[in-house]
């Protein structure tokens, strides 16, 4: 097969992913040039928010990269990227508060976060292995091929669930971050508007990722249907 027509199903999602990534880069770059009136750095804000919520045992570490900020639930560490850690920009502080939001979720046993952490090992395997098994089964043919395709679809379904459950996790972390920045005196009301724009743009990347996962699942199901009709 030189051309797989089922790839057409993925085109809208791929375009959305590219657009979302470009938008978050653009938004972060725009607001990373605007410093907050307080002058405190993202690392200092993250540390203060954690302390105020009783998370004094959760460290804030610097990690290499650009926009590689994340909260590690296994190590219970907030990691801020080079472009965030020492910056006092609206974008950097917004991102830092968002990652602290995940730490607060963890402390409060936020259910969607717990589910996401639980299914992560299966989702990681399914994301890579699932489509491979479906394609292999499609070309293998017969009952053995159909069995491989079913196994691949089942594994990939775990990845789709992971992408979908990520949406409430990320949006909730952003909501917590905005509320904390508004009420904690870390930003002025006008500065919070900029932080919201950065976090909303970042959230779109997760929406695009979930859409791509769903469309990929539909493609795999379509291939399974084609194979069963042969």
């Amino acid at each position: 097969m030189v051309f797989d027509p089922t790839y057409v199903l993925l085109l809208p999602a791929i375009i959305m992913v590219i657009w979302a990534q470009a938008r978050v880069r653009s938004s972060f770059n725009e607001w990373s040039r605007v410093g907050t009136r307080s002058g405190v750095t993202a690392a200092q804000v993250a540390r203060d928010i954690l302390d105020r919520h009783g998370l004094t045992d959760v460290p804030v570490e610097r990690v290499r990269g650009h926009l590689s900020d994340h909260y590690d639930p296994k190590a219970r560490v907030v990691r801020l990227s080079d472009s965030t850690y020492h910056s006092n920009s609206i974008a950097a502080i917004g991102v830092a508060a968002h990652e602290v939001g995940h730490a607060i979720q963890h402390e409060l046993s936020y259910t969607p976060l717990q589910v996401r952490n639980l299914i992560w090992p299966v989702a990681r395997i399914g994301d890579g292995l699932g489509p491979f098994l479906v394609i292999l089964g499609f070309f293998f043919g017969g009952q053995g091929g159909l069995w491989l395709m079913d196994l691949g679809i089942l594994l990939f379904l775990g990845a789709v669930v992971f992408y979908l459950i990520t949406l409430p996790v990320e949006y909730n972390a952003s909501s917590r971050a905005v509320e904390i920045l508004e009420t904690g005196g870390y930003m002025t009301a006008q500065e919070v508007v900029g932080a919201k724009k950065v976090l909303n743009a970042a959230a779109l990347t997760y929406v695009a990722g979930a859409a791509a996962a769903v469309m990929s699942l539909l493609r795999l199901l379509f291939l399974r249907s084609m194979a069963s009709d042969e």
Side-chain angles (χ1 to χ4, degrees), residues 2-224:
V2 177
F3 172 70
D4 181 356
T6 62
Y7 276 117
V8 174
L9 293 172
L10 302 181
L11 285 179
I14 292 173
I15 293 172
M16 185 177 181
V17 168
I18 295 173
W19 172 77
Q21 290 176 342
R23 180 166 178 179
V24 72
R25 284 194 298 268
S26 174
S27 181
F28 185 87
N29 289 338
E30 176 184 355
W31 292 100
S32 66
R33 293 191 291 268
V34 183
T36 58
R37 186 178 300 176
S38 66
V40 296
T41 67
Q44 291 172 326
V45 169
R47 179 70 273 154
D48 191 64
I49 296 174
L50 288 168
D51 291 345
R52 288 192 186 188
H53 286 79
L55 299 175
T56 56
D57 59 332
V58 177
V60 178
E61 297 179 352
R62 183 175 177 178
V63 64
R64 291 182 179 179
H66 179 66
L67 294 179
S68 53
D69 313 85
H70 64 279
Y71 169 68
D72 185 341
K74 181 176 290 187
R76 295 189 74 236
V77 174
V78 172
R79 297 194 174 102
L80 302 180
S81 65
D82 291 330
S83 55
T84 301
Y85 193 91
H86 290 299
S87 174
N88 70 338
S89 72
I90 290 174
I93 292 175
V95 169
H98 173 90
E99 299 309 332
V100 172
H102 286 309
I104 296 172
Q105 288 175 335
H106 193 184
E107 178 68 15
L108 297 177
S109 298
Y110 181 61
T111 300
L113 180 65
Q114 290 182 309
V115 174
R116 189 179 74 165
N117 292 342
L118 183 64
I119 66 175
W120 163 239
V122 175
R124 181 175 57 180
I125 295 172
D127 197 24
L129 185 60
F132 173 76
L133 290 178
V134 172
I135 299 300
L136 183 64
F138 184 83
F139 286 106
F140 189 82
Q143 288 301 315
L146 292 177
W147 183 86
L148 281 176
M149 296 184 78
D150 289 341
L151 177 60
I153 289 171
L154 183 62
L155 287 172
F156 190 73
L157 184 59
V160 173
V161 172
F162 177 85
Y163 281 108
L164 292 176
I165 200 68
T166 291
L167 296 179
V169 172
E170 296 300 330
Y171 274 99
N172 179 266
S174 289
S175 296
R176 291 176 188 272
V178 169
E179 181 180 358
I180 290 170
L181 293 175
E182 286 179 332
T183 60
Y186 300 103
M187 287 184 176
T188 65
Q190 186 175 3
E191 290 169 348
V192 170
V193 172
K196 283 182 180 179
K197 291 182 179 180
V198 173
L199 295 178
N200 287 339
L204 287 177
T205 63
Y206 295 103
V207 174
V214 170
M215 295 308 295
S216 295
L217 177 61
L218 291 177
R219 171 178 173 261
L220 298 181
L221 291 171
F222 184 70
L223 287 173
R224 173 62 171 80

